[in-house]
Amino acid sequence: MSDELPEPPEIACDVFTGEAWGRANAYAELLAGPGVVRGLLGPREVPRIWDRHLLNCAVVAEAVPPDVRLVDIGSGAGLPGLVLAIVRPDITVTLLEPLLRRTVFLQECVDTLKLDNVEVLRGRAEELAGKREYDVASARAVAPLERLLRWAMPLLCEGGELIAMKGERAAGELDEAEAELRATGARTAELVTVGRGKVEPPATLVRVVAGRAPERARRRRRR
Ligand SMILES: C[S@@+](CC[C@H](N)C(=O)[O-])C[C@H]1O[C@@H](n2cnc3c(N)ncnc32)[C@H](O)[C@@H]1O
């Protein structure tokens, strides 16, 4: 084990159960080792890998419905998408990331952890616009909510959800995104708190439910 990687906190055994436990530990090692050497994670993050990264991302699973197709926009080193795939074998996860060296690392993690519910896709969210084939889009530290809405909503099927990890900026970003919520045809938008009793502070998410594709809605109104 890397010198700096701390032992997992006790609560981690309740969050990562069964096969997820071994995978979470192996992923922590990959982040602390090759992840740091290859510049995907800052060395100062290593002592915080469990609480700030693995646990904080794992509790997002509380907001993810069963059996969904999830796309993690701007996955970076796999956060939160890879962690969600570890704790939720019922979902299929696409890790969407434009940078080659990050997708190479992500594929190595998927292979090492033997995850069969994950695909790594190199590209930008804008390039997938209009496919609307995902039930959930997740994102952490990728873009302000306004921009994230423009990227994520065209990937979601009607009734699909954007789940954005926003922390203390959540309420402010939701207010600022009012016009974009209307323009992208969002049905509802709300703040959701997850991870009570597991992470401190609990994680604040913005959940936005997609309506009909704006162009299709306009076409229907014209008929
Ligand atoms: C600050 S990193 C966050 C990575 C990870 N989500 C995390 O929380 O550690 C932002 C990531 O978004 C990716 N990104 C930037 N623009 C993007 C776009 N248009 N579509 C998809 N990913 C994008 C970047 O390559 C980078 O890996």
Side-chain angles (χ1 to χ4, degrees), residues 28 39 51 58 69 72 97 117 119-120 135 137 141 168 197 203 214 219:
D51 51 5
R69 296 157 299 175
D72 186 36
E97 171 54 51
N117 59 336
E119 71 161 348
V120 178
D135 307 296
E168 57 192 23
R219 251 185 275 138

Side-chain angles (χ1 to χ4, degrees), residues 50-68:
W50 279 100
D51 51 5
R52 183 173 177 163
H53 299 290
L54 298 193
L55 284 167
N56 245 298
C57 290
V59 297
V60 174
E62 292 172 23
V64 176
D67 302 318
V68 293

Side-chain angles (χ1 to χ4, degrees), residues 23 26-27 30 75 77-78 81-83 85-86 93-95 102-121:
R23 287 186 169 127
Y27 181 43
L30 287 164
S75 209
L82 201 70
V83 179
I86 289 174
V93 175
T94 299
L95 303 175
R102 295 185 183 173
T103 56
V104 168
F105 175 79
L106 289 171
Q107 191 59 57
E108 286 171 12
C109 290
V110 170
D111 295 343
T112 306
L113 305 180
K114 297 188 171 36
L115 285 164
D116 60 9
N117 59 336
V118 183
E119 71 161 348
V120 178
L121 188 59

Side-chain angles (χ1 to χ4, degrees), residues 53-169:
H53 299 290
L54 298 193
L55 284 167
N56 245 298
C57 290
V59 297
V60 174
E62 292 172 23
V64 176
D67 302 318
V68 293
R69 296 157 299 175
L70 179 148
V71 59
D72 186 36
I73 297 174
S75 209
L79 301 160
L82 201 70
V83 179
L84 291 172
I86 289 174
V87 288
R88 290 288 299 275
D90 60 301
I91 66 173
T92 57
V93 175
T94 299
L95 303 175
L96 179 64
E97 171 54 51
L99 295 186
L100 178 63
R101 75 189 164 85
R102 295 185 183 173
T103 56
V104 168
F105 175 79
L106 289 171
Q107 191 59 57
E108 286 171 12
C109 290
V110 170
D111 295 343
T112 306
L113 305 180
K114 297 188 171 36
L115 285 164
D116 60 9
N117 59 336
V118 183
E119 71 161 348
V120 178
L121 188 59
R122 184 170 172 219
R124 298 186 166 275
E126 307 90 297
E127 291 160 7
L128 301 188
K131 288 213 166 102
R132 294 184 65 99
E133 61 188 27
Y134 296 100
D135 307 296
V136 176
S138 60
R140 184 184 86 162
V142 175
L145 186 62
E146 276 183 286
R147 199 182 318 146
L148 201 53
L149 283 164
R150 288 199 291 277
W151 289 352
M153 299 306 263
L155 313 190
L156 293 170
C157 57
E158 190 176 347
E161 298 174 11
L162 165 64
I163 296 177
M165 298 177 69
K166 285 295 180 185
E168 57 192 23
R169 292 270 310 123

